C-alpha cells in the first residue's frame, strides 16, 4: 500500500493532553493515523502521521 506522510513537531510546552487532542482531530477529520512518535530530551515531540493514498474517481466520470 502507498501512504503519504506528514511530519509534525510539537514544542516542549505542549502537554500530553493537548497533543492527544490535536492528533485526535487530525485523525478524525483528516484521515491521518499515527505512524511514529519520538520524544527528545528537550521535551519536543516529532510525530509522523500517515494516510493511504487513494486514486478513487467519482462514478460516471472518465479520466
Amino acid at each position: 500500500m502507498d501512504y503519504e506522510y506528514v511530519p509534525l513537531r510539537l514544542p516542549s510546552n505542549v502537554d500530553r493532553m493537548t497533543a492527544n487532542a490535536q492528533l485526535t482531530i487530525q485523525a478524525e477529520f483528516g484521515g491521518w493515523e499515527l505512524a511514529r512518535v519520538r520524544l527528545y530530551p528537550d521535551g519536543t515531540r516529532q510525530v509522523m502521521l500517515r494516510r493511504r493514498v487513494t486514486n478513487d474517481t467519482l462514478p460516471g466520470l472518465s479520466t
Side-chain angles (χ1 to χ4, degrees):
M1 283 184 231
D2 291 331
Y3 289 96
E4 62 179 319
Y5 292 88
V6 63
L8 180 64
R9 189 147 186 123
L10 301 174
S12 60
N13 63 349
V14 175
D15 65 353
R16 188 177 226 179
M17 293 296 290
T18 305
N20 186 8
Q22 184 177 2
L23 294 174
T24 300
I25 290 169
Q26 291 290 333
E28 189 169 338
F29 296 109
W32 295 99
E33 63 184 32
L34 188 62
R36 178 179 40 207
V37 177
R38 287 186 179 170
L39 179 60
Y40 291 99
D42 65 353
T44 60
R45 291 177 183 90
Q46 177 72 33
V47 178
M48 187 68 68
L49 301 175
R50 73 178 184 179
R51 67 179 168 189
R52 287 185 185 169
V53 175
T54 59
N55 292 331
D56 295 338
T57 57
L58 296 174
L61 298 177
S62 61
T63 56

